Amino acid sequence: TIQKVFWGCTEGVAAIALLLSADEENPSVALNAVKAIPIVLGLPFTFLLFWMCQSLLILCKEETGKIPKYRKNFGTFILNLEKESALAIVVPFWHAGNLAAQVGTMHPYYYVGGFASIWIATIAFLCAGTIHSAYWSFGAAMYIMFGTAVAGLRTAYRTKLGIEGDMVSDWVVGVFGMPMAIGQMCAETTTVPGPE
C-alpha cells in the first residue's frame, strides 16, 4: 500500500506541476514538456536494458554449459558500502590511480596524476556550465572519459585476478557506477589474491 500511495502522490504532483506550468495564452507548453520526458528518461534506461540483455545472454550460456556456472567472480558486490566507494564520490582519482599502479608498470603518482587531471577537468567544466551551457557537454564528455578509464582499469584488474567478465559490463559499471566500481576493486585487493 505504501507503493500505491507513493505513485498516487507522484502522479498528482506531476499533474499539478503541468497545470501550473501551462500558460493561459499558450496551454500547449505543458504538453510539449510532457513530450520531452520519455526521451530524457528513456535514454539511461536503454543502457540498463542493454546490460540486462547481456546478463540474459550470459545466463543462457551458463544453462547450456558453454561457460561454467561456478567461475571466479568479484567477492564484493557492485552495490557496496565500502569506505573507498564513499571516498571515490569526491576524489575517485586517488584509489583509481593506486589501483592502476597495481596492474601497470609506472609509479602510482603518474596514474594518480592522470586520473586527477581528467577528474579536475570534469569538475571545472561542470562548474563553468553555470557560465555557459556548452560547458556542461564538455563536463559530461570528460566524466564519460573518466568512467571509460575506470572501465579499462576494471578490465585489467579482472584479467590480473583471473575473474571472468566482459568489457561491456566493465564500461557500464565504470560510467554509471564509477565510485562503487572503485570500491569493489579496492575490496578485492584485500579479499582475493592475484595470480602469481
Side-chain angles (χ1 to χ4, degrees):
T1 60
I2 293 174
Q3 190 174 17
K4 291 178 185 177
V5 171
F6 170 76
W7 286 112
C9 291
T10 304
E11 289 176 11
V13 168
I16 291 169
L18 287 174
L19 289 173
L20 292 176
S21 68
D23 190 14
E24 290 179 11
E25 297 173 7
N26 191 3
S28 65
V29 172
L31 288 177
N32 289 335
V34 173
K35 290 177 186 175
I37 290 174
I39 295 170
V40 171
L41 296 178
L43 185 62
F45 189 66
T46 303
F47 292 109
L48 178 65
L49 286 176
F50 287 150
W51 204 10
M52 292 168 76
C53 289
Q54 182 199 15
S55 298
L56 182 62
L57 180 66
I58 291 170
L59 177 68
C60 290
K61 286 183 178 181
E62 285 178 350
E63 290 298 319
T64 59
K66 291 184 179 178
I67 58 175
K69 285 184 183 181
Y70 303 106
R71 60 193 182 281
K72 190 172 182 183
N73 292 311
F74 279 104
T76 304
F77 188 59
I78 189 64
L79 299 175
N80 59 65
L81 297 174
E82 300 292 327
K83 64 181 178 182
E84 291 85 0
S85 296
L87 186 62
I89 294 171
V90 182
V91 285
F93 54 85
W94 181 255
H95 286 298
N98 287 318
L99 288 166
Q102 293 177 14
V103 294
T105 58
M106 295 189 295
H107 195 275
Y109 292 137
Y110 292 114
Y111 294 111
V112 171
F115 277 106
S117 64
I118 299 171
W119 186 251
I120 291 169
T122 301
I123 299 300
F125 280 125
L126 291 175
C127 290
T130 59
I131 299 168
H132 192 278
S133 62
Y135 290 114
W136 285 102
S137 300
F138 285 118
M142 293 300 290
Y143 178 81
I144 290 172
M145 191 166 102
F146 189 89
T148 302
V150 170
L153 173 61
R154 190 171 191 260
T155 301
Y157 211 71
R158 247 188 336 90
T159 304
K160 178 186 176 192
L161 296 178
I163 297 173
E164 294 203 20
D166 56 275
M167 294 177 73
V168 174
S169 293
D170 291 338
W171 187 83
V172 171
V173 168
V175 172
F176 295 107
M178 180 263 304
M180 292 175 282
I182 292 172
Q184 183 186 46
M185 289 185 286
C186 287
E188 291 300 313
T189 60
T190 58
T191 59
V192 179
E196 297 300 322

